[in-house]
Amino acid sequence: MIKSFRHAGLEKFFKTGSKAGIHPRHAAKLEEQLTALNRAKSADDMAKPLSWRLHPLQGKEKHWSIWVNGSWRLTFTFEGEDAILVDYQDYHSEVSWPLKCITRRILAACYAPIWKA
């Protein structure tokens, strides 16, 4: 069960259906993902469908991310069997370019042009 949110617009969307605090084009997918997260007992329960690209966030112990659309992610952690700190983030606009490289796979892709130069 989802116990807490970091993103006020996402919490409002989850509780009331209001799209005011999210991108309206993400509403259908977010509704599906939040419903699944609300039923989940652990991060592993969010591994399917594979298109959500569940992965742990590097540097944030036990925090997880799933893909929403483009650079938008739904991030969360679990406390027992409850999802907490649920957030909705655009990694390309909120962090500097090296920090966009969240997973090791993406890190290699970000630095590959520098290494080849």
Side-chain angles (χ1 to χ4, degrees), residues 49-97:
L50 294 176
S51 63
W52 289 357
R53 305 175 196 165
L54 174 71
H55 64 275
L57 291 180
Q58 198 168 2
K60 290 191 172 189
E61 190 175 333
K62 299 181 182 178
H63 275 76
W64 296 87
S65 174
I66 56 175
W67 182 74
V68 177
N69 187 302
S71 61
W72 287 89
R73 305 292 183 268
L74 191 67
T75 62
F76 52 89
T77 189
F78 275 84
E79 185 175 73
E81 294 185 346
D82 297 319
I84 60 169
L85 303 175
V86 180
D87 206 354
Y88 172 59
Q89 302 172 334
D90 178 358
Y91 283 120
H92 289 291
S93 69
E94 293 183 6
V95 296
S96 63
W97 76 268

Side-chain angles (χ1 to χ4, degrees), residues 1-16 29-43 45-46 52 66 74-88:
M1 174 179 280
I2 298 174
K3 290 289 187 180
S4 69
F5 287 84
R6 294 186 76 190
H7 190 282
L10 186 65
E11 181 175 17
K12 187 174 182 181
F13 173 71
F14 178 67
K15 292 180 176 178
T16 69
K29 184 173 247 182
L30 282 170
E31 182 176 7
E32 181 182 4
Q33 291 174 330
L34 290 170
T35 299
L37 186 58
N38 197 45
R39 291 181 182 149
K41 304 282 185 201
S42 71
D45 294 339
M46 299 298 293
W52 289 357
I66 56 175
L74 191 67
T75 62
F76 52 89
T77 189
F78 275 84
E79 185 175 73
E81 294 185 346
D82 297 319
I84 60 169
L85 303 175
V86 180
D87 206 354
Y88 172 59

